[in-house]
Amino acid sequence: MDRNNVNPWDWSKAFGFSQAVEVRGAERILVCSGQTGMSENGSPPSSSDMGEQVNKAFDNLGAVLQAAGLAASDVVRVNYSTTDVDELIAVLGPLASEFFGGNLPASTLLGVARLAFPQLKIEIEATAAR
């Protein structure tokens, strides 16, 4: 598979995303459900700390990718839904860069009134290709 991050401007790289990602010759595409700070047994997070919830959501996304035989480097698109845009923006850049490394998927961030459980502050949807 050939992958090309398309960034006519550099500013988005500091936030951990590309303006677009071109994919050619992919043999597999994995569409992931939104991952949150839910525990392995399905209970909502006990912490309201945005950074902790983002880290757990990335951990959960990593587990889904690994179960499918893929990695964060295969993610080409990510959507963030949050109940607090300002709080998420304050922590997301470094945490996304840590999770994705040099991979900068195309991205959208949406503010929402509520997620599946009132304790949830962040949900991360991803599409991976290889």
Side-chain angles (χ1 to χ4, degrees):
M1 174 186 93
D2 291 324
R3 173 197 174 108
N4 179 36
N5 292 346
V6 179
N7 287 299
W9 315 282
D10 285 336
W11 66 262
S12 62
K13 294 177 184 179
F15 291 96
F17 73 94
S18 292
Q19 296 295 321
V21 176
E22 178 184 28
V23 177
R24 293 178 186 229
E27 294 181 13
R28 297 178 60 201
I29 295 176
L30 178 71
V31 179
C32 301
S33 292
Q35 299 302 308
T36 66
M38 300 288 278
S39 71
E40 290 76 12
N41 67 8
S43 62
S46 57
S47 171
S48 63
D49 181 85
M50 180 65 83
E52 288 179 24
Q53 287 202 22
V54 171
N55 273 325
K56 182 61 175 166
F58 276 132
D59 287 348
N60 290 342
L61 176 57
V64 170
L65 292 167
Q66 184 177 15
L70 298 170
S73 59
D74 297 312
V75 174
V76 295
R77 174 97 177 123
V78 64
N79 294 331
Y80 301 99
S81 297
T82 183
T83 58
D84 191 328
V85 171
D86 294 330
E87 191 177 6
L88 179 59
I89 287 174
V91 300
L92 183 60
L95 297 176
S97 293
E98 181 180 325
F99 181 76
F100 290 115
N103 175 36
L104 299 176
S107 174
T108 297
L109 188 154
L110 298 171
V112 298
R114 185 185 150 172
L115 294 166
F117 292 94
Q119 300 95 321
L120 295 173
K121 293 181 145 190
I122 176 72
E123 186 169 315
I124 304 171
E125 287 181 86
T127 301
R130 183 183 288 172

